[in-house]
Amino acid sequence: MHKKYSPVQPPKRLLMGPGPSMVEPRVYAAMAQPVVGHLDPYFFEIMEDVHSLLAQVYGTNNHFTMAISGTGSAGMEAAVSNFVEDGSKLAVFASGFFADRIAEMGRRQGAQVVRLEKPWGVTFSADESRDFIKREKPNVVAYVHAETSTGAVNPGEVICEAAREVGALTIADCVTSLGTMPVEVDRTGIDIAYSCSQKGLGAPPGLSPLTASARAMEWLHKRTTQNHSWYLDLKLLDEYFGASHRYHHTAPISMFYALREALVVVSEEGLEQRYERHRRNHLAFVAGMEAMGMSMHVAAGHRLPALNTPVVPAGIEDMKIRKRLLDGDGIEILGGFGPLAGKVFRVGIMGAGSTKENVLLLLEKMEDALKAEGYAAPASGRAAAEKYYTSRLT
Ligand SMILES: *Cc1c(COP(=O)(O)O)cnc(C)c1O
């Protein structure tokens, strides 16, 4: 007996978790175009567009600005494996899951890892950051700009400045910040930044935009030990992406089409407008949550626009709320994990999914689900968000 397979037909979902986020139809359309060779002149044009569009979103003039073949974690591993070598000292600002992942990658590269710890979702003050770096004098400093596990932002200016003073390179995880808030690689002084295609940029998962400063590339070319990873060796990748186009691996052509189209969408919208859209929809959501008597895990002023972490009300199981949203309305949000398991929801309002309609719908459906589980909101979250939108007209 042959099993009969039906065509792929995923259920209709509204993706409002920590990623992947919604993908626009024109991005899907780009992906469905015929594959050309990875050494085809047309593909080099696509790569060139990806390079210049990424440079705009990253705010950089870095020569090495390209998408690594792999998800955000591939970008992370490219950053760590190229710039952290056996015996070097890696300083990590650790207050969330993705900072821990960077530290683990550093350990596997043979680095001595030192950590400045804070509870998940708490940020580091300028003085603490500076003191830590001055005290440890590391070779490389890593921080997570937008901690998707907690909803907190870690600004990089002070970290990058202090790192430069002790001669260290900085790695910034911009996986959830890129495309949702200013990253400003050059102005901030970041040496290596990486991101992903599926969160703030609005393409499917599969590529990891990475940029490295001239200073970082200079260090890399002088590095005497070999990167343990062949696939993520930026020296080899640079030869493929660069003028000589020497074959390294078969780039995922369709994913590059998708990323290029998603970046064109970003560019057409305009960065300032895009950040403002994310900011407004985030603030409307928070207004809704607060009207419903709920609080946010991260202190005001340190919250990510793209990833919101409302605290789960006492007596409510977050799993049950999430199941009601998914089963009843096809809406995906996620819960916390690690020290935040059961304590917060993780609500992504990012990329193409960051719209007024989605915020209002989600607030309404969350209110219904919470009510069904025994939590009575003191006021309508949807109404509060609507009021926020009308009080701020543009
Ligand atoms: C999602 C995420 C990653 C990992 O990206 P993948 O695409 O899942 O490999 C790394 N860092 C942060 C901050 C993230 O949000």
Side-chain angles (χ1 to χ4, degrees):
M1 276 292 284
H2 286 291
K3 179 176 183 327
K4 180 116 172 56
Y5 292 94
S6 53
V8 174
Q9 204 167 37
K12 195 164 175 282
R13 297 290 188 232
L14 179 59
L15 299 174
M16 298 197 80
S21 62
M22 297 304 283
V23 176
E24 287 199 34
R26 61 186 271 194
V27 174
Y28 286 132
M31 283 186 91
Q33 295 305 307
V35 167
V36 298
H38 60 291
L39 299 173
D40 192 296
Y42 180 74
F43 186 63
F44 296 148
E45 282 175 37
I46 293 283
M47 284 210 299
E48 189 46 44
D49 290 345
V50 167
H51 165 80
S52 54
L53 289 161
L54 274 180
Q56 287 172 30
V57 193
Y58 264 132
T60 185
N61 288 315
N62 289 341
H63 165 77
F64 192 101
T65 303
M66 196 31 82
I68 304 287
S69 303
T71 66
S73 304
M76 186 189 285
E77 197 138 292
V80 174
S81 66
N82 281 283
F83 299 99
V84 175
E85 57 185 337
D86 283 301
S88 62
K89 193 179 202 182
L90 170 67
V92 179
F93 285 84
S95 64
F97 174 81
F98 290 105
D100 289 348
R101 185 176 285 183
I102 298 174
E104 168 62 9
M105 286 184 182
R107 190 189 67 76
R108 288 181 182 219
Q109 294 301 326
Q112 179 201 350
V113 179
V114 291
R115 301 158 57 96
L116 186 63
E117 305 262 355
K118 286 266 179 177
W120 281 29
V122 180
T123 51
F124 304 91
S125 76
D127 283 347
E128 287 167 341
S129 305
R130 215 180 280 112
D131 291 350
F132 173 55
I133 294 171
K134 297 253 160 112
R135 185 173 69 241
E136 294 291 351
K137 298 190 178 43
N139 302 96
V140 181
V141 177
Y143 70 97
V144 180
H145 186 215
E147 221 346 313
T148 323
S149 61
T150 68
V153 59
N154 289 304
E157 286 80 3
V158 170
I159 294 174
C160 293
E161 192 188 297
R164 235 156 239 257
E165 283 171 24
V166 302
L169 294 170
T170 46
I171 296 176
D173 178 320
C174 301
V175 172
T176 296
S177 51
L178 195 70
T180 68
M181 61 192 285
V183 169
E184 298 287 5
V185 164
D186 289 358
R187 194 178 304 160
T188 310
I190 300 165
D191 287 300
I192 303 106
Y194 58 85
S195 187
C196 73
S197 47
Q198 80 272 17
K199 294 182 190 178
L201 297 178
L207 286 176
S208 177
L210 184 144
T211 185
S213 68
R215 192 170 89 109
M217 292 308 279
E218 209 172 287
W219 181 89
L220 185 63
H221 283 288
K222 285 195 201 132
R223 174 178 171 171
T224 51
T225 59
Q226 239 178 4
N227 190 333
H228 296 303
S229 166
W230 176 89
Y231 191 68
L232 297 171
D233 187 332
L234 292 191
K235 283 192 263 193
L236 301 177
L237 287 171
D238 202 19
E239 289 179 21
Y240 171 49
F241 296 144
S244 68
H245 291 311
R246 199 159 78 153
Y247 164 70
H248 178 261
H249 68 283
T250 309
I253 308 297
S254 313
M255 276 311 305
F256 270 82
Y257 294 165
L259 180 61
R260 178 192 178 275
E261 190 65 15
L263 288 166
V264 171
V265 171
V266 172
S267 160
E268 284 175 3
E269 179 175 15
L271 290 177
E272 290 314 314
Q273 287 83 343
R274 191 174 178 89
Y275 302 148
E276 180 59 14
R277 170 166 65 82
H278 280 83
R279 202 182 65 87
R280 274 168 56 79
N281 290 323
H282 156 70
L283 290 175
F285 179 74
V286 172
M289 284 286 108
E290 286 174 348
M292 285 164 62
M294 294 171 65
S295 62
M296 302 299 289
H297 174 67
V298 176
H302 302 276
R303 294 173 190 155
L304 294 175
L307 196 282
N308 298 265
T309 43
V311 176
V312 178
I316 296 292
E317 279 178 56
D318 75 295
M319 192 48 227
K320 290 191 176 158
I321 304 298
R322 284 155 45 206
K323 189 165 162 34
R324 280 182 187 275
L325 290 173
L326 192 69
D327 294 350
D329 309 292
I331 301 175
E332 177 184 277
I333 66 167
L334 292 191
F337 61 106
L340 296 180
K343 295 189 177 146
V344 298
F345 296 107
R346 289 189 304 144
V347 178
I349 308 179
M350 58 174 86
S354 173
T355 66
K356 176 178 168 180
E357 293 67 35
N358 287 348
V359 167
L360 296 178
L361 178 72
L362 177 64
L363 284 168
E364 183 185 316
K365 298 298 179 186
M366 275 183 88
E367 194 169 325
D368 292 348
L370 284 163
K371 192 169 176 196
E373 292 297 327
Y375 175 84
S380 156
R382 183 184 168 114
E386 271 170 343
K387 189 156 157 245
Y388 170 86
Y389 284 120
T390 47
S391 66
R392 268 152 248 244
L393 281 174
T394 50

